[in-house]
Amino acid sequence: NAGVTQTPKFQVLKTGQSMTLQCAQDMNHEYMSWYRQDPGMGLRLIHYSVGAGITDQGEVPNGYNVSRSTTEDFPLRLLSAAPSQTSVYFCASSYSILEPGYGYTFGSGTRLTVV
Amino acid sequence: QQPVQSPQAVILREGEDAVINCSSSKALYSVHWYRQKHGEAPVFLMILLKGGEQKGHEKISASFNEKKQQSSLYLTASQLSYSGTYFCGTRVDYKLSFGAGTTVTVRA
């Protein structure tokens, strides 16, 4: 099993450009989420999905879109990149957020710089 | 709303103990604990599901006081491999919110 795979690992964007961060998991997890990590602020939830076709906003959703057409994939789209979106982005999945005992599996992260 | 962790950082010598605290202003369904090494992804350590329940991972254990909306992580007889940043995560509905993290440095 590959677990949670994120691509790309590094990306530099110019202000105003758009791009998609890819996330795929092969563990048949129903719950997937995106976090951004900034120094001193921990991990902040951007968007999440409880299953294919169902998404919702987290704590910091502005400037980002998501969709979940399959159980395996949960891409994150930056609509018009801004320097404030410079961060490390982590995708995480879990078998179920409501069933007891399941932690999150994180991808290796995407380091994004917006200039 | 993100939980509050304390302390922000702690430096230990091998074999020493430490406690990391996590508190929330909201009622908690569960508390997660993760460790992140520099430049790597967070790794799941344990989850606590009901008040007073304690879980363990190696010599790392945790407790959950539902009434006080608090959890504590105990690092016992610390090893060099325990170095990293520890995050607590608290779940409300479908959202898992993380604290700002506690950086633990273990020195020989």
Side-chain angles (χ1 to χ4, degrees):
Chain A
N1 284 351
V4 179
T5 302
Q6 286 185 240
T7 56
K9 291 193 183 305
F10 301 94
Q11 183 71 47
V12 178
L13 287 180
K14 293 183 178 179
T15 297
Q17 285 184 318
S18 62
M19 80 159 295
T20 299
L21 307 186
Q22 301 291 343
C23 175
Q25 53 88 12
D26 61 357
M27 300 173 283
N28 200 33
H29 284 178
E30 67 176 25
Y31 184 89
M32 298 185 73
S33 54
W34 277 101
Y35 288 86
R36 58 176 290 173
Q37 185 172 35
D38 302 294
M41 302 190 72
L43 296 144
R44 291 183 292 168
L45 181 64
I46 305 172
H47 285 285
Y48 65 94
S49 168
V50 299
I54 307 169
T55 64
D56 205 345
Q57 296 180 350
E59 301 158 352
V60 289
N62 291 343
Y64 308 95
N65 270 356
V66 292
S67 60
R68 184 122 178 249
S69 55
T70 67
T71 300
E72 294 79 19
D73 300 299
F74 190 45
L76 177 72
R77 279 181 281 279
L78 279 71
L79 309 173
S80 177
S84 61
Q85 294 179 304
T86 293
S87 187
V88 180
Y89 291 84
F90 286 102
C91 178
S93 72
S94 177
Y95 179 73
S96 170
I97 195 169
L98 292 181
E99 291 293 326
Y102 294 101
Y104 281 23
T105 301
F106 281 82
S108 57
T110 296
R111 186 173 295 273
L112 176 69
T113 302
V114 182
V115 298
Chain B
Q1 250 166 330
Q2 292 182 286
V4 177
Q5 281 185 242
S6 64
Q8 286 186 316
V10 60
I11 299 174
L12 302 167
R13 292 207 176 272
E14 269 188 301
E16 290 183 339
D17 302 339
V19 180
I20 300 170
N21 297 305
C22 174
S23 64
S24 174
S25 59
K26 295 190 173 184
L28 301 176
Y29 297 105
S30 62
V31 177
H32 295 217
W33 285 96
Y34 294 78
R35 178 172 63 204
Q36 184 179 31
K37 303 272 187 178
H38 183 68
E40 299 180 5
V43 173
F44 174 69
L45 293 176
M46 65 190 75
I47 183 172
L48 298 105
L49 297 170
K50 50 189 176 182
E53 184 169 353
Q54 297 195 25
K55 294 279 191 176
H57 175 84
E58 301 169 349
K59 289 185 180 177
I60 300 173
S61 61
S63 63
F64 179 19
N65 188 321
E66 214 174 302
K67 190 174 179 181
K68 291 185 178 179
Q69 295 167 192
Q70 291 176 346
S71 178
S72 295
L73 188 74
Y74 305 95
L75 307 181
T76 305
S78 58
Q79 306 168 13
L80 295 175
S81 62
Y82 286 5
S83 292
T85 301
Y86 290 78
F87 294 97
C88 69
T90 56
R91 185 175 79 78
V92 177
D93 297 326
Y94 296 105
K95 301 177 185 179
L96 188 67
S97 295
F98 288 93
T102 296
T103 300
V104 173
T105 304
V106 182
R107 293 180 175 164

